[in-house]
Amino acid sequence: TVGPGVFHRELGEILYRGCGVSRSIDSLTTAIDEIRALRQRFWRELRVTGETGRLNPELEKAGRVADFLELAELMCLDALDRDESCGAHFRVDHQSPDGEAVRDDDHWCFASAWETRPDGTAVRHREPLRFTGVELATRNYQ
């Protein structure tokens, strides 16, 4: 049996490798698989120490890690779904020859709002982005 801190660290390592600054289809797909496996281990092997009838910080940590596991999977699904590079969504398969992010504003100028259905499926809803005070522009850091 394992405490919540161990799962939290493992999740961080998965996200750093698979959904960090640079992402790819392979790294995101691997991260999703690893997160799902970690979640299964979490519910099977989690050990929460402490006394009943008192404030239990270990139980609180375990609840947070359970939430983080769900959020981490959704972050990876969102990054995999967004077929462009933009902001924190830098995909190595969407970059210019000189390494700049290649956006696709014609198809991706929206914020994704995800709904998790009771059957566990995630459904993306689009919230269009409108720019009134600042023009939509591509930056180049070269």
Side-chain angles (χ1 to χ4, degrees):
T1 56
V2 184
V6 172
F7 291 103
H8 189 222
R9 273 189 302 282
E10 285 185 42
L11 179 60
E13 291 169 5
I14 292 168
L15 287 174
Y16 184 78
R17 276 192 321 270
C19 194
V21 174
S22 294
R23 303 130 182 228
S24 68
I25 292 171
D26 290 340
S27 76
L28 292 165
T29 303
T30 299
I32 291 166
D33 291 342
E34 290 176 345
I35 291 166
R36 289 175 177 165
L38 184 63
R39 183 186 297 119
Q40 288 177 353
R41 274 191 44 232
F42 176 82
W43 291 114
R44 190 176 56 246
E45 299 175 14
L46 176 67
R47 178 174 179 228
V48 178
T49 59
E51 300 176 26
T52 59
R54 307 185 80 178
L55 180 64
N56 186 339
E58 283 298 297
L59 181 59
E60 186 179 345
K61 285 181 200 172
R64 285 192 194 137
V65 173
D67 290 342
F68 293 159
L69 287 162
E70 288 183 32
L71 179 60
E73 182 178 348
L74 186 57
M75 283 173 42
C76 292
L77 285 170
D78 182 60
L80 184 60
D81 179 67
R82 185 168 285 274
D83 196 21
E84 69 162 354
S85 284
C86 183
H89 290 277
F90 183 78
R91 292 266 300 266
V92 296
D93 51 324
H94 294 288
Q95 62 180 309
S96 68
D98 59 349
E100 290 294 319
V102 174
R103 294 188 349 204
D104 183 359
D105 293 332
D106 291 339
H107 296 101
W108 292 96
C109 192
F110 61 86
S112 298
W114 288 88
E115 170 191 3
T116 302
R117 299 250 167 102
D119 66 358
T121 58
V123 178
R124 182 192 65 208
H125 299 278
R126 295 173 178 221
E127 295 181 356
L129 299 174
R130 292 182 178 77
F131 300 89
T132 56
V134 176
E135 256 184 67
L136 181 61
T138 301
R139 293 183 214 127
N140 186 324
Y141 297 100
Q142 298 296 321

